[in-house]
């Protein structure tokens, strides 16, 4: 209960100073993480969380399920239509290349680790989360096209990576067994993804149809509709888990299918779900502070820092620049999309789930890499947001008209 009080109090204080803090790129996730580091440090910290438990595992899965659902339904269809080619380049070409680059970087820097563990690591450090640099997608100085494309990519790429993560973690866990059966592990992961697809489609379509009909016929009201929307990802998550599927993949699929129904519901229908996701994500950022303390202070190899640095820079930038070749964009726009790939909640959730599932040595390794990657991303992407916005402001500024010539009045 004390933890809830502290988290709520910190969030309230931040809400009082949000505008002033934003001028120094201090977002709510950064504030919560900093507070978490301070209050969970030391041998006898004021707060401590048990992270390797079934309760925590289900909690982070629910957070990701809600986040994936909101991301899926909030992707604006008009952008997918107007910039379909650009979005497909980033998700269909750039994302697989980035995963491959992260895997190959791991092979180069960590030759002693198993290939499947490095594949898990790649899925942990690649997904985007725009929350730590949310000002970027709202900054009017940056071209709307770039902000919207980045928002679409950030909303969809974690859902695409999710089944890949599940497959890799299942085989990586099996690889530590002397009687490992990789075929069975892969089959189980594929089966779970299949059930997630089926349940997500069923829940998303059914709930969307029912809510549309109820609203159109005047059987409900706006406040009840907000609760109904919140129930959709929870139903998808629990139903899929009950039949052997993966809950957060099902929630993402449900959001994709449910999305069209939102346009026929009240404008505020998704607000409650969005607020719940924000609150739960901020609580996770606070707990991430303890993960930082657990992984950071015991020490780590220089290769971990190098890998994390490459993961948030060249591992993404090079594939993005490659797939955007011939897209008719300026070099600065390509560099913007390549650079602006912040990591956050999805990486924390995937890393936490990997820590729970993997043996101690592998778990510590993934945890340390995830922590350094997220922290480097917060620093690099957070500090660069304002200079990038100023650059675009200068580039789009209208030049002053030349002064009118002054008549020569000399005799």
């Amino acid at each position: 209960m004390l933890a809830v009080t502290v988290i709520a109090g910190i969030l309230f204080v931040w809400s009082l100073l949000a505008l002033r803090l934003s001028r120094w790129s201090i977002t709510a996730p950064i504030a919560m993480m900093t507070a978490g580091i301070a209050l969970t440090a030391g041998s006898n910290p004021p707060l401590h969380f048990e992270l390797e438990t079934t309760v925590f595992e289900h909690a982070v899965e629910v957070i990701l399920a809600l986040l994936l659902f909101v991301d899926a339904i909030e992707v604006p269809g008009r952008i997918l239509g107007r910039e379909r080619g650009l979005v497909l380049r980033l998700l269909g070409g750039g994302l697989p290349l980035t995963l491959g680059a992260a895997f190959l970087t791991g092979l180069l820097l960590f030759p002693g680790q198993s290939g499947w563990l490095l594949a898990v690591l790649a899925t942990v450090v690649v997904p985007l989360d725009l929350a730590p640099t949310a000002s970027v997608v709202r900054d009017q100085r940056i071209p709307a096209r770039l902000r919207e494309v980045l928002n679409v990519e950030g909303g969809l790429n974690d859902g695409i990576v999710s089944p890949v993560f599940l497959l890799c973690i299942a085989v990586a866990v099996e690889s530590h067994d002397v009687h490992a059966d990789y075929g069975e592990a892969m089959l189980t992961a594929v089966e779970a993804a299949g059930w997630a697809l089926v349940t997500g489609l069923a829940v998303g379509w059914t709930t969307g149809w029912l809510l549309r009909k109820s609203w159109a016929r005047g059987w409900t009201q706006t406040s009840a509709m907000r609760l109904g929307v919140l129930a959709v990802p929870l139903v998808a998550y629990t139903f899929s888990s009950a039949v052997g599927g993966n809950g957060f993949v099902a929630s993402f699929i449900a959001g994709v299918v449910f999305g069209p129904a939102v346009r026929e519901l009240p404008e505020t229908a998704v607000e409650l779900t969005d607020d719940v996701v924000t609150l739960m994500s901020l609580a996770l950022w606070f707990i991430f502070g303890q993960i930082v303390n657990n992984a950071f202070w015991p020490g780590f190899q220089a290769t971990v820092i190098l890998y994390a640095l490459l993961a948030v820079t060249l591992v993404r930038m090079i594939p993005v620049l490659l797939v955007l070749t011939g897209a008719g964009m300026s070099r600065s726009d390509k560099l913007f999309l390549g650079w602006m790939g912040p990591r956050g909640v999805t990486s924390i959730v995937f890393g936490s789930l990997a820590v729970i599932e993997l043996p101690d040595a592998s778990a510590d390794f993934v945890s340390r890499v995830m922590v350094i990657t997220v922290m480097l991303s917060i620093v690099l992407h957070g500090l660069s947001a304002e200079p990038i916005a100023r650059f675009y402001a200068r580039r789009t500024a209208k030049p002053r008209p030349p002064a009118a010539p002054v008549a020569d009045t000399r005799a």
Side-chain angles (χ1 to χ4, degrees):
M1 187 61 67
L2 176 60
V4 175
T5 303
V6 171
I7 293 173
I10 295 169
L11 183 60
F12 179 76
V13 172
W14 177 85
S15 70
L16 298 176
L17 305 170
L19 181 59
R20 289 185 174 273
L21 292 176
S22 66
R23 296 172 183 172
W24 291 280
S25 299
I26 301 177
T27 61
I30 294 175
M32 297 299 286
M33 178 193 69
T34 304
I37 293 174
L39 294 175
T40 60
S43 57
N44 188 24
L47 296 175
H48 179 75
F49 301 93
E50 295 295 333
L51 303 182
E52 297 183 11
T53 64
T54 302
V55 174
F56 180 71
E57 179 181 7
H58 289 320
V60 294
E61 284 191 353
V62 169
I63 292 173
L64 184 58
L66 292 172
L67 178 64
L68 292 173
F69 178 79
V70 170
D71 284 346
I73 64 176
E74 286 188 347
V75 172
R78 63 183 183 276
I79 301 303
L80 284 175
R82 187 168 62 241
E83 301 292 349
R84 186 185 304 270
L86 190 56
V87 172
L88 288 178
R89 282 173 183 257
L90 291 172
L91 294 176
L95 181 55
L97 287 176
T98 303
L99 286 169
F103 176 73
L104 293 176
T105 303
L107 285 178
L108 179 64
L109 296 179
F110 309 116
Q113 300 292 347
S114 72
W116 283 108
L117 181 62
L118 296 177
V120 170
L121 191 62
T123 61
V124 169
V125 302
V126 163
L128 307 187
D129 177 19
L130 300 178
T133 55
S135 61
V136 171
V137 294
R138 294 194 298 264
D139 199 318
Q140 299 297 319
R141 292 172 294 179
I142 298 174
R145 179 194 185 194
L146 298 179
R147 290 185 283 115
E148 290 169 342
V149 168
L150 187 63
N151 196 32
V152 172
E153 185 193 7
L156 290 178
N157 82 328
D158 47 5
I160 296 172
V161 174
S162 295
V164 182
F165 167 77
L166 294 174
L167 174 63
C168 293
I169 194 69
V171 181
V173 170
E174 188 69 22
S175 67
H176 288 86
D177 191 341
V178 293
H179 303 294
D181 188 342
Y182 297 115
E184 183 179 352
M186 295 182 69
L187 183 62
T188 300
V190 172
E191 183 180 354
W195 278 114
L197 176 63
V198 172
T199 54
L201 288 172
V203 171
W205 186 87
T206 303
T207 55
W209 183 83
L210 289 173
L211 287 174
R212 285 200 312 268
K213 291 296 182 182
S214 176
W215 179 252
R217 298 184 181 184
W219 293 348
T220 187
Q221 53 190 1
T222 304
S223 58
M225 187 65 63
R226 288 195 288 266
L227 292 172
V229 173
L230 176 61
V232 175
L234 298 177
V235 171
Y237 169 78
T238 54
F239 183 31
S240 180
S241 299
V243 299
N246 184 271
F248 49 81
V249 173
S251 183
F252 177 76
I253 299 299
V256 172
V257 179
F258 185 84
V262 174
R263 293 192 287 271
E264 301 180 29
L265 300 179
E267 293 183 0
T268 60
V270 188
E271 286 185 356
L272 177 61
T273 307
D274 202 10
D275 289 341
V276 169
V277 169
T278 300
L279 287 172
M280 295 182 72
S281 297
L282 290 176
L284 183 59
W285 276 106
F286 185 88
I287 296 174
F288 178 66
Q290 178 174 314
I291 300 175
V292 170
N293 287 324
N294 294 344
F296 192 86
W297 300 119
F300 42 82
Q301 297 175 333
T303 50
V304 171
I305 301 177
L306 179 58
Y307 178 88
L309 182 61
L310 291 173
V312 298
T313 55
L314 297 181
V315 163
R316 170 176 166 83
M317 293 182 70
I318 293 176
V320 169
L321 292 176
L322 286 175
V323 299
L324 293 181
T325 301
M329 303 179 68
S330 67
R331 181 180 300 177
S332 58
D333 289 350
K334 294 177 186 178
L335 288 172
F336 170 80
L337 291 176
W339 168 254
M340 194 49 64
R343 275 50 162 198
V345 169
T346 307
S347 293
I348 296 172
V349 171
F350 284 174
S352 299
L353 294 176
V355 167
I356 293 172
E357 297 292 336
L358 293 169
D360 289 343
S362 298
D364 290 342
F365 170 68
V366 172
S367 178
R368 291 181 182 183
V369 176
M370 179 270 289
V371 164
I372 302 302
T373 301
V374 173
M375 294 190 71
L376 276 176
S377 176
I378 288 175
V379 173
L380 295 177
H381 294 115
L383 293 179
S384 64
E386 181 60 25
I388 289 174
R390 287 199 299 264
F391 164 78
Y392 275 105
R394 290 193 302 269
R395 197 181 76 167
T396 57
K398 294 182 179 180
R400 294 182 179 181
V406 178
D408 191 352
T409 58
R410 291 175 299 177

